[in-house]
Amino acid sequence: RGSSGIQWHPAMAPPPPVGAIVFMYFVLGSALSFLTGRKPGSLPEDIIAEMFLPFMVLSLWVMSYSVLDVMGVGKAKIKHNLSAKMYKDYPASEPEDVHLASRAQMNQVEQMASYMVSTLLFSFLVNGRVGGLLAFIWLVLRELYASTYRASAGKSLEDAGLIKYTIPCYFIINGMAASVLVHMCRYALQN
């Protein structure tokens, strides 16, 4: 068992200790703050220009979520004629591809709040252009994750290869969040 109490697959290594992960987030966040950030406490001179890319990417995320993720669930349900049935008439166990599409969509929802908050805070307080670029990379990785998840019927999650998308996404979101914390600490220390 891993430190979180989760039973790990024998071929899959447990994650590093939480402290090591948080340390790496702060290393990345410090690099982002010191190397790409404006002077701590300063606001963008032109807010629209600074936030243009993050706003565009967040809008693309909302649209891709509804068109790819939500409709992905609908397509899977239509394939099995579930959209014509009442819930009481659903099979006791939903078809695997419907379950996978639903889980992929729900996982996107689970990630949405931290993605949007980290993107907006980082972009406004640290660097909008870098925030927009990181948000775009995250968006592409998350859509690759969701499409891979939906197409993984008959495979274990490990065999589907989802981790190659999830780990970079966690580092992007948490790196941006840690950068905001570092940037605000730098601001507090200079005043």
Side-chain angles (χ1 to χ4, degrees), residues 2-169:
S3 60
S4 61
I6 296 172
Q7 181 69 39
W8 294 102
H9 187 279
M12 191 169 152
V18 172
I21 295 169
V22 171
F23 175 77
M24 290 306 300
Y25 290 158
F26 275 101
V27 168
L28 178 57
S30 296
L32 288 168
S33 173
F34 281 95
L35 299 176
T36 73
R38 287 184 301 283
K39 180 181 181 221
S42 66
L43 294 177
E45 289 181 26
D46 183 344
I47 292 175
I48 299 300
E50 187 81 12
M51 298 301 290
F52 172 81
L53 187 55
F55 288 162
M56 294 287 287
V57 172
L58 289 174
S59 296
L60 282 172
W61 159 250
V62 170
M63 291 170 49
S64 70
Y65 168 74
S66 78
V67 171
L68 300 174
D69 301 316
V70 175
M71 289 178 71
V73 175
K75 285 180 188 178
K77 287 182 176 183
I78 288 169
K79 177 181 169 187
H80 294 281
N81 200 31
L82 295 178
S83 59
K85 296 180 180 181
M86 293 176 39
Y87 279 113
K88 68 179 184 70
D89 297 328
Y90 269 40
S93 158
E94 64 187 358
E96 184 180 21
D97 58 332
V98 173
H99 174 75
L100 293 170
S102 295
R103 277 305 312 142
Q105 186 258 335
M106 285 305 303
N107 197 272
Q108 298 289 58
V109 170
E110 293 162 6
Q111 299 295 317
M112 192 181 298
S114 58
Y115 168 63
M116 290 186 165
V117 169
S118 293
T119 297
L120 290 171
L121 286 174
F122 178 88
S123 297
F124 188 71
L125 296 170
V126 181
N127 186 316
R129 288 175 184 87
V130 173
L133 177 63
L134 290 171
F136 182 74
I137 294 168
W138 186 94
L139 182 150
V140 169
L141 289 170
R142 287 300 302 179
E143 287 307 333
L144 288 169
Y145 166 90
S147 67
T148 301
Y149 204 162
R150 286 189 299 270
S152 66
K155 298 178 183 175
S156 70
L157 294 180
E158 184 178 4
D159 289 339
L162 297 176
I163 200 155
K164 68 185 168 210
Y165 305 117
T166 57
I167 300 297
C169 286

